[in-house]
Amino acid sequence: GENVEQHPSTLSVQEGDSAVIKCTYSDSASNYFPWYKQELGKRPQLIIDIRSNVGEKKDQRIAVTLNKTAKHFSLHITETQPEDSAVYFCAASPGAGSYQLTFGKGTKLSVIP
Amino acid sequence: DVKVTQSSRYLVKRTGEKVFLECVQDMDHENMFWYRQDPGLGLRLIYFSYDVKMKEKGDIPEGYSVSREKKERFSLILESASTNQTSMYLCASSPVPGNYGYTFGSGTRLTVV
């Protein structure tokens, strides 16, 4: 089955700096890669996703890049703010009629004011 | 605005009890999923369902079963609760066709004593 590795497990940045979280996946057939943000005590929420036919996607201060050849994808957050502090999860879906997601273990991002 | 509802936020059960965790979604989604979330292990898939009365094992189905008698409801059953099933349980749903991000419930924190 699919295996998703996520790094780093914790990340601290100064407010205003950029943060990058990286994930690798094992199944070359995977075609959908969402990112979730989970604030303390709350449910995970989808913040951005990318499909295998796209190399990069941006939404304001967040962006995701995908390298299918290397089987890795990354989340980039620019101009970080304290409210960006949360646990971030990457995930991959095998596609081909399969809708379940395999998640990475998560990255705890702390933005220091 | 809540679209995926889990019946209990916190639950304390005794070892050996039969436990039911309920999840209801009002978005007419075909796909429903049960994950457990543990520190350092991320989200792990227990069971999923793509249709009424359909169920498939995820990565860690041992000790669990599920029921989906209606499209909007997906129940997770712990046949005989054990202390190693103490965890946060998250229900999620997603639509078809195509891959779309999950909508998660708020989670049920189950403690087995």
Side-chain angles (χ1 to χ4, degrees):
Chain A
E2 176 68 276
N3 183 50
V4 177
E5 300 282 343
Q6 183 172 347
H7 299 280
S9 57
T10 60
L11 179 60
S12 290
V13 299
Q14 291 292 134
E15 182 177 358
D17 288 350
S18 295
V20 180
I21 302 170
K22 299 182 179 182
C23 290
T24 60
Y25 60 98
S26 61
D27 187 349
S28 56
S30 290
N31 63 6
Y32 176 66
F33 308 92
W35 286 87
Y36 288 83
K37 175 184 180 182
Q38 187 177 29
E39 297 176 14
L40 191 62
K42 297 190 176 181
R43 71 187 78 191
Q45 295 205 307
L46 178 69
I47 56 171
I48 196 166
D49 57 14
I50 193 167
R51 300 182 191 278
S52 58
N53 59 347
V54 175
E56 184 176 3
K57 184 176 179 180
K58 289 183 179 179
D59 183 3
Q60 299 183 339
R61 295 186 298 107
I62 61 173
V64 57
T65 59
L66 171 64
N67 183 326
K68 284 207 70 181
T69 303
K71 290 190 284 188
H72 69 70
F73 56 112
S74 300
L75 178 71
H76 304 254
I77 306 173
T78 59
E79 300 171 20
T80 54
Q81 300 168 4
E83 52 265 37
D84 294 329
S85 296
V87 178
Y88 292 81
F89 292 97
C90 64
S93 176
S98 292
Y99 303 105
Q100 66 267 30
L101 294 174
T102 299
F103 287 85
K105 289 182 167 54
T107 297
K108 183 176 181 180
L109 173 64
S110 300
V111 180
I112 304 162
Chain B
D1 188 45
V2 175
K3 294 177 168 56
V4 179
T5 303
Q6 293 184 231
S7 54
S8 303
R9 188 78 173 101
Y10 298 95
L11 212 52
V12 179
K13 295 292 182 180
R14 295 195 179 276
T15 301
E17 277 193 78
K18 190 169 186 176
V19 181
F20 294 86
L21 303 183
E22 305 288 345
C23 176
V24 177
Q25 51 95 4
D26 63 0
M27 297 171 287
D28 201 36
H29 285 173
E30 287 79 5
N31 305 327
M32 296 189 76
F33 308 86
W34 275 106
Y35 285 82
R36 62 178 283 176
Q37 181 175 18
D38 300 288
L41 297 179
L43 286 78
R44 294 179 291 165
L45 181 63
I46 305 172
Y47 266 96
F48 60 97
S49 170
Y50 291 164
D51 200 356
V52 175
K53 296 193 185 295
M54 177 269 186
K55 58 186 178 183
E56 291 284 345
K57 294 180 180 179
D59 299 319
I60 52 164
E62 295 78 20
Y64 303 94
S65 62
V66 290
S67 172
R68 192 165 182 200
E69 296 295 320
K70 294 185 177 182
K71 187 177 184 179
E72 67 271 18
R73 185 181 297 270
F74 192 35
S75 302
L76 180 68
I77 304 158
L78 287 66
E79 296 290 343
S80 178
S82 64
T83 55
N84 62 13
Q85 292 178 310
T86 291
S87 186
M88 170 66 83
Y89 290 88
L90 287 164
C91 174
S93 70
S94 70
V96 292
N99 277 320
Y100 295 91
Y102 292 173
T103 299
F104 280 95
S106 295
T108 296
R109 182 163 295 282
L110 173 68
T111 302
V112 182
V113 297

Short mmCIF file of all heavy atoms in Angstrom, two decimals, chain B residues 39-103:
data_model
loop_
_atom_site.label_atom_id
_atom_site.label_comp_id
_atom_site.label_asym_id
_atom_site.label_seq_id
_atom_site.Cartn_x
_atom_site.Cartn_y
_atom_site.Cartn_z
N PRO B 39 -0.65 10.51 18.97
CA PRO B 39 0.56 11.35 18.89
C PRO B 39 1.73 10.60 18.27
O PRO B 39 2.04 9.47 18.65
CB PRO B 39 0.82 11.69 20.36
CG PRO B 39 -0.51 11.57 21.03
CD PRO B 39 -1.22 10.45 20.32
N GLY B 40 2.37 11.24 17.30
CA GLY B 40 3.52 10.65 16.66
C GLY B 40 3.21 9.62 15.59
O GLY B 40 4.11 9.18 14.86
N LEU B 41 1.94 9.22 15.49
CA LEU B 41 1.55 8.21 14.49
C LEU B 41 0.64 8.79 13.41
O LEU B 41 0.33 8.11 12.43
CB LEU B 41 0.84 7.04 15.18
CG LEU B 41 1.69 6.25 16.17
CD1 LEU B 41 0.85 5.13 16.80
CD2 LEU B 41 2.93 5.65 15.49
N GLY B 42 0.21 10.01 13.57
CA GLY B 42 -0.65 10.63 12.57
C GLY B 42 -2.04 10.02 12.55
O GLY B 42 -2.55 9.56 13.58
N LEU B 43 -2.63 10.01 11.38
CA LEU B 43 -3.98 9.46 11.20
C LEU B 43 -3.86 8.12 10.49
O LEU B 43 -3.28 8.04 9.41
CB LEU B 43 -4.85 10.41 10.37
CG LEU B 43 -5.35 11.69 11.02
CD1 LEU B 43 -4.26 12.74 11.08
CD2 LEU B 43 -6.55 12.22 10.26
N ARG B 44 -4.45 7.12 11.08
CA ARG B 44 -4.40 5.78 10.50
C ARG B 44 -5.82 5.30 10.19
O ARG B 44 -6.71 5.39 11.03
CB ARG B 44 -3.69 4.81 11.45
CG ARG B 44 -2.22 5.12 11.64
CD ARG B 44 -1.57 4.15 12.61
NE ARG B 44 -2.07 4.34 13.98
CZ ARG B 44 -1.90 3.46 14.95
NH1 ARG B 44 -1.27 2.31 14.72
NH2 ARG B 44 -2.36 3.70 16.16
N LEU B 45 -5.98 4.74 8.99
CA LEU B 45 -7.29 4.36 8.50
C LEU B 45 -7.74 3.02 9.10
O LEU B 45 -7.04 2.02 8.98
CB LEU B 45 -7.26 4.27 6.96
CG LEU B 45 -8.55 3.90 6.26
CD1 LEU B 45 -9.64 4.96 6.51
CD2 LEU B 45 -8.30 3.75 4.75
N ILE B 46 -8.94 3.03 9.67
CA ILE B 46 -9.47 1.81 10.29
C ILE B 46 -10.38 1.08 9.31
O ILE B 46 -10.17 -0.09 8.99
CB ILE B 46 -10.26 2.15 11.57
CG1 ILE B 46 -9.41 2.96 12.54
CG2 ILE B 46 -10.76 0.87 12.25
CD1 ILE B 46 -10.18 3.51 13.74
N TYR B 47 -11.41 1.75 8.83
CA TYR B 47 -12.37 1.21 7.87
C TYR B 47 -12.87 2.34 6.99
O TYR B 47 -12.83 3.51 7.38
CB TYR B 47 -13.58 0.60 8.59
CG TYR B 47 -13.49 -0.88 8.87
CD1 TYR B 47 -13.06 -1.34 10.11
CD2 TYR B 47 -13.88 -1.82 7.91
CE1 TYR B 47 -12.99 -2.70 10.39
CE2 TYR B 47 -13.82 -3.18 8.18
CZ TYR B 47 -13.37 -3.62 9.42
OH TYR B 47 -13.31 -4.96 9.68
N PHE B 48 -13.37 1.97 5.82
CA PHE B 48 -14.01 2.95 4.97
C PHE B 48 -15.18 2.31 4.22
O PHE B 48 -15.30 1.07 4.17
CB PHE B 48 -13.02 3.61 4.02
CG PHE B 48 -12.33 2.68 3.07
CD1 PHE B 48 -12.80 2.51 1.77
CD2 PHE B 48 -11.18 1.99 3.45
CE1 PHE B 48 -12.14 1.67 0.88
CE2 PHE B 48 -10.52 1.14 2.58
CZ PHE B 48 -11.00 0.98 1.29
N SER B 49 -16.00 3.17 3.65
CA SER B 49 -17.19 2.71 2.94
C SER B 49 -17.45 3.64 1.77
O SER B 49 -17.42 4.87 1.93
CB SER B 49 -18.40 2.70 3.88
OG SER B 49 -19.59 2.48 3.17
N TYR B 50 -17.71 3.06 0.60
CA TYR B 50 -18.01 3.86 -0.59
C TYR B 50 -19.50 3.85 -0.92
O TYR B 50 -19.92 4.50 -1.87
CB TYR B 50 -17.22 3.37 -1.79
CG TYR B 50 -15.74 3.61 -1.73
CD1 TYR B 50 -14.87 2.93 -2.58
CD2 TYR B 50 -15.18 4.50 -0.82
CE1 TYR B 50 -13.50 3.14 -2.53
CE2 TYR B 50 -13.82 4.72 -0.76
CZ TYR B 50 -12.99 4.03 -1.61
OH TYR B 50 -11.64 4.24 -1.57
N ASP B 51 -20.28 3.07 -0.17
CA ASP B 51 -21.71 2.97 -0.48
C ASP B 51 -22.42 2.33 0.70
O ASP B 51 -21.79 1.70 1.56
CB ASP B 51 -21.91 2.14 -1.75
CG ASP B 51 -23.25 2.38 -2.41
OD1 ASP B 51 -24.08 3.14 -1.85
OD2 ASP B 51 -23.47 1.82 -3.50
N VAL B 52 -23.72 2.46 0.71
CA VAL B 52 -24.52 1.83 1.75
C VAL B 52 -24.26 0.33 1.75
O VAL B 52 -24.16 -0.29 0.69
CB VAL B 52 -26.01 2.13 1.53
CG1 VAL B 52 -26.87 1.38 2.54
CG2 VAL B 52 -26.28 3.62 1.61
N LYS B 53 -24.11 -0.22 2.93
CA LYS B 53 -23.87 -1.64 3.17
C LYS B 53 -22.53 -2.13 2.62
O LYS B 53 -22.25 -3.32 2.63
CB LYS B 53 -25.03 -2.50 2.62
CG LYS B 53 -26.34 -2.23 3.31
CD LYS B 53 -27.38 -3.29 2.99
CE LYS B 53 -28.73 -2.93 3.59
NZ LYS B 53 -28.68 -2.94 5.07
N MET B 54 -21.70 -1.23 2.15
CA MET B 54 -20.37 -1.59 1.69
C MET B 54 -19.35 -1.17 2.73
O MET B 54 -19.50 -0.10 3.34
CB MET B 54 -20.08 -0.88 0.36
CG MET B 54 -18.70 -1.12 -0.19
SD MET B 54 -17.50 0.10 0.37
CE MET B 54 -16.08 -0.40 -0.62
N LYS B 55 -18.35 -2.02 2.98
CA LYS B 55 -17.30 -1.66 3.90
C LYS B 55 -16.00 -2.32 3.46
O LYS B 55 -16.02 -3.42 2.89
CB LYS B 55 -17.64 -2.07 5.33
CG LYS B 55 -17.91 -3.56 5.49
CD LYS B 55 -18.38 -3.89 6.90
CE LYS B 55 -18.70 -5.37 7.03
NZ LYS B 55 -19.25 -5.69 8.37
N GLU B 56 -14.91 -1.64 3.73
CA GLU B 56 -13.59 -2.18 3.39
C GLU B 56 -12.65 -1.93 4.56
O GLU B 56 -12.72 -0.87 5.20
CB GLU B 56 -13.02 -1.48 2.14
CG GLU B 56 -13.73 -1.80 0.86
CD GLU B 56 -13.39 -3.19 0.33
OE1 GLU B 56 -12.41 -3.78 0.81
OE2 GLU B 56 -14.11 -3.67 -0.57
N LYS B 57 -11.76 -2.88 4.80
CA LYS B 57 -10.77 -2.71 5.85
C LYS B 57 -9.71 -1.70 5.42
O LYS B 57 -9.29 -1.68 4.27
CB LYS B 57 -10.11 -4.05 6.16
CG LYS B 57 -11.05 -5.07 6.78
CD LYS B 57 -10.34 -6.37 7.06
CE LYS B 57 -11.28 -7.39 7.67
NZ LYS B 57 -10.62 -8.69 7.92
N GLY B 58 -9.30 -0.91 6.41
CA GLY B 58 -8.19 -0.01 6.18
C GLY B 58 -6.89 -0.64 6.64
O GLY B 58 -6.71 -1.86 6.53
N ASP B 59 -6.02 0.17 7.19
CA ASP B 59 -4.71 -0.32 7.59
C ASP B 59 -4.68 -0.99 8.96
O ASP B 59 -3.82 -1.82 9.22
CB ASP B 59 -3.71 0.85 7.57
CG ASP B 59 -3.57 1.46 6.20
OD1 ASP B 59 -3.53 0.68 5.21
OD2 ASP B 59 -3.52 2.70 6.08
N ILE B 60 -5.62 -0.61 9.84
CA ILE B 60 -5.60 -1.16 11.21
C ILE B 60 -7.01 -1.58 11.64
O ILE B 60 -7.56 -1.06 12.60
CB ILE B 60 -5.01 -0.14 12.21
CG1 ILE B 60 -5.72 1.22 12.09
CG2 ILE B 60 -3.51 0.02 12.00
CD1 ILE B 60 -5.45 2.13 13.27
N PRO B 61 -7.63 -2.56 10.97
CA PRO B 61 -9.02 -2.91 11.29
C PRO B 61 -9.20 -3.84 12.50
O PRO B 61 -10.32 -4.01 12.98
CB PRO B 61 -9.46 -3.64 10.02
CG PRO B 61 -8.20 -4.29 9.53
CD PRO B 61 -7.09 -3.32 9.86
N GLU B 62 -8.11 -4.40 13.00
CA GLU B 62 -8.23 -5.41 14.06
C GLU B 62 -8.88 -4.81 15.31
O GLU B 62 -8.47 -3.76 15.80
CB GLU B 62 -6.84 -5.97 14.42
CG GLU B 62 -6.16 -6.74 13.29
CD GLU B 62 -5.54 -5.82 12.23
OE1 GLU B 62 -5.31 -4.63 12.54
OE2 GLU B 62 -5.31 -6.29 11.11
N GLY B 63 -9.89 -5.51 15.80
CA GLY B 63 -10.59 -5.07 17.00
C GLY B 63 -11.75 -4.14 16.73
O GLY B 63 -12.44 -3.72 17.67
N TYR B 64 -11.98 -3.82 15.45
CA TYR B 64 -13.05 -2.90 15.07
C TYR B 64 -13.97 -3.53 14.03
O TYR B 64 -13.57 -4.44 13.31
CB TYR B 64 -12.47 -1.62 14.46
CG TYR B 64 -11.49 -0.87 15.32
CD1 TYR B 64 -10.12 -1.10 15.19
CD2 TYR B 64 -11.92 0.07 16.24
CE1 TYR B 64 -9.20 -0.41 15.98
CE2 TYR B 64 -11.02 0.76 17.03
CZ TYR B 64 -9.66 0.52 16.88
OH TYR B 64 -8.76 1.21 17.66
N SER B 65 -15.19 -3.04 13.97
CA SER B 65 -16.08 -3.35 12.86
C SER B 65 -16.87 -2.07 12.56
O SER B 65 -16.78 -1.10 13.31
CB SER B 65 -17.02 -4.51 13.19
OG SER B 65 -17.85 -4.18 14.28
N VAL B 66 -17.59 -2.08 11.45
CA VAL B 66 -18.36 -0.89 11.06
C VAL B 66 -19.72 -1.31 10.54
O VAL B 66 -19.96 -2.46 10.20
CB VAL B 66 -17.63 -0.05 9.99
CG1 VAL B 66 -16.39 0.63 10.56
CG2 VAL B 66 -17.30 -0.91 8.77
N SER B 67 -20.58 -0.31 10.46
CA SER B 67 -21.92 -0.52 9.91
C SER B 67 -22.32 0.72 9.13
O SER B 67 -22.13 1.84 9.61
CB SER B 67 -22.91 -0.77 11.04
OG SER B 67 -24.23 -0.79 10.56
N ARG B 68 -22.86 0.47 7.93
CA ARG B 68 -23.39 1.59 7.16
C ARG B 68 -24.73 1.16 6.56
O ARG B 68 -24.80 0.65 5.45
CB ARG B 68 -22.43 2.05 6.06
CG ARG B 68 -22.88 3.39 5.47
CD ARG B 68 -21.81 4.02 4.68
NE ARG B 68 -22.22 5.31 4.16
CZ ARG B 68 -21.63 5.90 3.14
NH1 ARG B 68 -20.61 5.31 2.53
NH2 ARG B 68 -22.05 7.08 2.73
N GLU B 69 -25.78 1.39 7.31
CA GLU B 69 -27.14 1.02 6.89
C GLU B 69 -27.81 2.13 6.11
O GLU B 69 -28.72 1.89 5.30
CB GLU B 69 -27.98 0.66 8.12
CG GLU B 69 -27.47 -0.56 8.87
CD GLU B 69 -27.58 -1.82 8.04
OE1 GLU B 69 -28.58 -2.00 7.32
OE2 GLU B 69 -26.63 -2.65 8.08
N LYS B 70 -27.38 3.36 6.34
CA LYS B 70 -27.90 4.51 5.60
C LYS B 70 -26.73 5.32 5.06
O LYS B 70 -25.65 5.32 5.64
CB LYS B 70 -28.78 5.38 6.50
CG LYS B 70 -30.06 4.70 6.96
CD LYS B 70 -30.92 5.66 7.75
CE LYS B 70 -32.22 4.99 8.15
NZ LYS B 70 -33.11 5.92 8.89
N LYS B 71 -26.96 6.01 3.98
CA LYS B 71 -25.89 6.75 3.31
C LYS B 71 -25.24 7.77 4.23
O LYS B 71 -24.03 7.98 4.18
CB LYS B 71 -26.45 7.45 2.07
CG LYS B 71 -25.39 8.10 1.20
CD LYS B 71 -26.02 8.72 -0.04
CE LYS B 71 -24.97 9.29 -0.97
NZ LYS B 71 -25.58 9.87 -2.19
N GLU B 72 -26.04 8.40 5.08
CA GLU B 72 -25.51 9.49 5.88
C GLU B 72 -24.85 9.06 7.17
O GLU B 72 -24.23 9.86 7.85
CB GLU B 72 -26.63 10.49 6.21
CG GLU B 72 -27.72 9.95 7.12
CD GLU B 72 -28.86 9.28 6.35
OE1 GLU B 72 -28.66 8.92 5.17
OE2 GLU B 72 -29.94 9.13 6.96
N ARG B 73 -24.95 7.80 7.53
CA ARG B 73 -24.48 7.35 8.84
C ARG B 73 -23.47 6.22 8.71
O ARG B 73 -23.70 5.24 8.01
CB ARG B 73 -25.67 6.88 9.68
CG ARG B 73 -25.33 6.51 11.11
CD ARG B 73 -26.61 6.05 11.83
NE ARG B 73 -27.58 7.12 11.92
CZ ARG B 73 -27.66 7.99 12.92
NH1 ARG B 73 -26.82 7.89 13.93
NH2 ARG B 73 -28.59 8.91 12.92
N PHE B 74 -22.36 6.37 9.44
CA PHE B 74 -21.30 5.35 9.42
C PHE B 74 -20.86 5.14 10.86
O PHE B 74 -20.37 6.07 11.50
CB PHE B 74 -20.14 5.85 8.56
CG PHE B 74 -19.11 4.81 8.20
CD1 PHE B 74 -19.46 3.49 7.96
CD2 PHE B 74 -17.77 5.16 8.05
CE1 PHE B 74 -18.51 2.55 7.60
CE2 PHE B 74 -16.81 4.23 7.68
CZ PHE B 74 -17.19 2.92 7.46
N SER B 75 -21.07 3.93 11.35
CA SER B 75 -20.81 3.64 12.75
C SER B 75 -19.56 2.79 12.90
O SER B 75 -19.34 1.84 12.13
CB SER B 75 -22.00 2.89 13.37
OG SER B 75 -23.17 3.66 13.23
N LEU B 76 -18.77 3.12 13.90
CA LEU B 76 -17.58 2.33 14.25
C LEU B 76 -17.89 1.57 15.54
O LEU B 76 -18.38 2.17 16.50
CB LEU B 76 -16.37 3.23 14.44
CG LEU B 76 -15.05 2.53 14.80
CD1 LEU B 76 -14.54 1.70 13.63
CD2 LEU B 76 -14.01 3.56 15.23
N ILE B 77 -17.59 0.28 15.54
CA ILE B 77 -17.91 -0.57 16.68
C ILE B 77 -16.63 -1.20 17.22
O ILE B 77 -15.86 -1.79 16.46
CB ILE B 77 -18.91 -1.67 16.27
CG1 ILE B 77 -20.17 -1.03 15.66
CG2 ILE B 77 -19.28 -2.54 17.47
CD1 ILE B 77 -20.95 -1.95 14.77
N LEU B 78 -16.45 -1.05 18.52
CA LEU B 78 -15.37 -1.75 19.21
C LEU B 78 -16.03 -2.92 19.93
O LEU B 78 -16.79 -2.72 20.88
CB LEU B 78 -14.66 -0.84 20.20
CG LEU B 78 -13.73 0.24 19.65
CD1 LEU B 78 -14.49 1.31 18.87
CD2 LEU B 78 -12.91 0.87 20.78
N GLU B 79 -15.81 -4.10 19.43
CA GLU B 79 -16.54 -5.27 19.93
C GLU B 79 -16.26 -5.54 21.41
O GLU B 79 -17.15 -5.90 22.16
CB GLU B 79 -16.19 -6.49 19.09
CG GLU B 79 -16.62 -6.38 17.63
CD GLU B 79 -18.13 -6.45 17.46
OE1 GLU B 79 -18.85 -6.89 18.39
OE2 GLU B 79 -18.62 -6.05 16.37
N SER B 80 -15.02 -5.39 21.81
CA SER B 80 -14.62 -5.59 23.21
C SER B 80 -13.47 -4.62 23.48
O SER B 80 -12.32 -4.93 23.16
CB SER B 80 -14.20 -7.04 23.44
OG SER B 80 -13.76 -7.22 24.77
N ALA B 81 -13.81 -3.46 24.01
CA ALA B 81 -12.82 -2.39 24.14
C ALA B 81 -11.61 -2.82 24.97
O ALA B 81 -11.75 -3.52 25.99
CB ALA B 81 -13.48 -1.17 24.76
N SER B 82 -10.46 -2.37 24.50
CA SER B 82 -9.22 -2.63 25.24
C SER B 82 -8.48 -1.31 25.45
O SER B 82 -8.73 -0.33 24.74
CB SER B 82 -8.33 -3.62 24.48
OG SER B 82 -7.93 -3.07 23.25
N THR B 83 -7.57 -1.29 26.41
CA THR B 83 -6.88 -0.04 26.74
C THR B 83 -6.07 0.49 25.57
O THR B 83 -5.89 1.71 25.45
CB THR B 83 -5.98 -0.23 27.97
OG1 THR B 83 -5.08 -1.32 27.73
CG2 THR B 83 -6.80 -0.53 29.22
N ASN B 84 -5.59 -0.38 24.68
CA ASN B 84 -4.81 0.11 23.54
C ASN B 84 -5.70 0.73 22.45
O ASN B 84 -5.19 1.18 21.41
CB ASN B 84 -3.91 -0.97 22.96
CG ASN B 84 -4.68 -2.16 22.41
OD1 ASN B 84 -5.89 -2.10 22.25
ND2 ASN B 84 -3.97 -3.24 22.12
N GLN B 85 -6.99 0.76 22.68
CA GLN B 85 -7.89 1.46 21.79
C GLN B 85 -8.23 2.86 22.29
O GLN B 85 -9.05 3.57 21.69
CB GLN B 85 -9.16 0.64 21.55
CG GLN B 85 -8.88 -0.63 20.77
CD GLN B 85 -10.12 -1.49 20.57
OE1 GLN B 85 -10.84 -1.77 21.53
NE2 GLN B 85 -10.38 -1.89 19.34
N THR B 86 -7.59 3.26 23.39
CA THR B 86 -7.71 4.64 23.84
C THR B 86 -7.06 5.54 22.80
O THR B 86 -5.90 5.38 22.44
CB THR B 86 -7.00 4.82 25.20
OG1 THR B 86 -7.72 4.11 26.20
CG2 THR B 86 -6.90 6.29 25.58
N SER B 87 -7.85 6.48 22.27
CA SER B 87 -7.37 7.28 21.15
C SER B 87 -8.38 8.35 20.80
O SER B 87 -9.49 8.39 21.33
CB SER B 87 -7.14 6.37 19.93
OG SER B 87 -6.55 7.06 18.85
N MET B 88 -7.99 9.21 19.85
CA MET B 88 -8.93 10.13 19.22
C MET B 88 -9.41 9.47 17.93
O MET B 88 -8.60 9.05 17.11
CB MET B 88 -8.24 11.46 18.90
CG MET B 88 -9.08 12.40 18.03
SD MET B 88 -10.56 12.99 18.85
CE MET B 88 -9.87 14.36 19.78
N TYR B 89 -10.72 9.40 17.77
CA TYR B 89 -11.31 8.79 16.56
C TYR B 89 -11.95 9.89 15.72
O TYR B 89 -12.76 10.67 16.20
CB TYR B 89 -12.35 7.74 16.95
CG TYR B 89 -11.70 6.53 17.55
CD1 TYR B 89 -11.44 6.44 18.92
CD2 TYR B 89 -11.29 5.46 16.75
CE1 TYR B 89 -10.80 5.35 19.48
CE2 TYR B 89 -10.66 4.35 17.29
CZ TYR B 89 -10.41 4.30 18.65
OH TYR B 89 -9.78 3.21 19.19
N LEU B 90 -11.54 9.91 14.45
CA LEU B 90 -12.03 10.92 13.52
C LEU B 90 -12.80 10.26 12.39
O LEU B 90 -12.32 9.31 11.76
CB LEU B 90 -10.86 11.71 12.94
CG LEU B 90 -10.18 12.70 13.87
CD1 LEU B 90 -8.84 13.12 13.31
CD2 LEU B 90 -11.06 13.91 14.11
N CYS B 91 -13.98 10.78 12.15
CA CYS B 91 -14.80 10.35 11.01
C CYS B 91 -14.62 11.39 9.91
O CYS B 91 -14.42 12.59 10.20
CB CYS B 91 -16.25 10.26 11.44
SG CYS B 91 -17.41 9.90 10.10
N ALA B 92 -14.69 10.96 8.66
CA ALA B 92 -14.58 11.89 7.54
C ALA B 92 -15.47 11.41 6.40
O ALA B 92 -15.80 10.22 6.31
CB ALA B 92 -13.13 12.02 7.07
N SER B 93 -15.83 12.34 5.53
CA SER B 93 -16.59 11.97 4.34
C SER B 93 -16.05 12.73 3.14
O SER B 93 -15.39 13.77 3.30
CB SER B 93 -18.08 12.26 4.53
OG SER B 93 -18.32 13.65 4.56
N SER B 94 -16.31 12.20 1.96
CA SER B 94 -15.92 12.87 0.73
C SER B 94 -16.86 12.45 -0.39
O SER B 94 -17.47 11.38 -0.34
CB SER B 94 -14.46 12.54 0.36
OG SER B 94 -14.33 11.20 -0.07
N PRO B 95 -16.98 13.30 -1.42
CA PRO B 95 -17.91 12.99 -2.50
C PRO B 95 -17.23 12.22 -3.64
O PRO B 95 -16.01 12.12 -3.69
CB PRO B 95 -18.33 14.37 -2.99
CG PRO B 95 -17.10 15.21 -2.78
CD PRO B 95 -16.44 14.66 -1.53
N VAL B 96 -18.02 11.67 -4.53
CA VAL B 96 -17.53 11.14 -5.81
C VAL B 96 -18.28 11.88 -6.91
O VAL B 96 -19.35 12.40 -6.68
CB VAL B 96 -17.75 9.62 -5.95
CG1 VAL B 96 -16.88 8.86 -4.98
CG2 VAL B 96 -19.20 9.25 -5.76
N PRO B 97 -17.79 11.95 -8.13
CA PRO B 97 -16.58 11.28 -8.60
C PRO B 97 -15.33 12.08 -8.32
O PRO B 97 -15.41 13.18 -7.84
CB PRO B 97 -16.84 11.18 -10.11
CG PRO B 97 -17.63 12.41 -10.40
CD PRO B 97 -18.50 12.63 -9.19
N GLY B 98 -14.22 11.50 -8.65
CA GLY B 98 -12.96 12.20 -8.50
C GLY B 98 -12.51 12.25 -7.07
O GLY B 98 -13.24 11.90 -6.15
N ASN B 99 -11.30 12.65 -6.84
CA ASN B 99 -10.76 12.77 -5.49
C ASN B 99 -11.00 14.18 -4.97
O ASN B 99 -10.59 15.15 -5.58
CB ASN B 99 -9.28 12.47 -5.47
CG ASN B 99 -9.02 10.99 -5.38
OD1 ASN B 99 -9.71 10.28 -4.67
ND2 ASN B 99 -8.05 10.52 -6.12
N TYR B 100 -11.64 14.26 -3.86
CA TYR B 100 -11.84 15.53 -3.20
C TYR B 100 -11.43 15.39 -1.76
O TYR B 100 -11.50 14.32 -1.19
CB TYR B 100 -13.30 15.98 -3.29
CG TYR B 100 -13.75 16.27 -4.68
CD1 TYR B 100 -14.32 15.27 -5.45
CD2 TYR B 100 -13.60 17.52 -5.25
CE1 TYR B 100 -14.73 15.51 -6.75
CE2 TYR B 100 -14.01 17.78 -6.54
CZ TYR B 100 -14.58 16.78 -7.28
OH TYR B 100 -14.97 17.03 -8.56
N GLY B 101 -11.02 16.49 -1.19
CA GLY B 101 -10.60 16.44 0.20
C GLY B 101 -11.71 16.01 1.13
O GLY B 101 -12.89 16.19 0.85
N TYR B 102 -11.30 15.42 2.22
CA TYR B 102 -12.25 15.02 3.24
C TYR B 102 -12.81 16.22 3.98
O TYR B 102 -12.15 17.24 4.16
CB TYR B 102 -11.54 14.18 4.31
CG TYR B 102 -11.04 12.83 3.95
CD1 TYR B 102 -10.27 12.13 4.86
CD2 TYR B 102 -11.30 12.22 2.73
CE1 TYR B 102 -9.77 10.87 4.59
CE2 TYR B 102 -10.81 10.96 2.43
CZ TYR B 102 -10.04 10.30 3.37
OH TYR B 102 -9.54 9.05 3.10
N THR B 103 -14.02 16.03 4.51
CA THR B 103 -14.55 16.87 5.58
C THR B 103 -14.55 16.01 6.83
O THR B 103 -15.14 14.92 6.83
CB THR B 103 -15.97 17.35 5.27
OG1 THR B 103 -15.95 18.12 4.06
CG2 THR B 103 -16.49 18.21 6.40
#
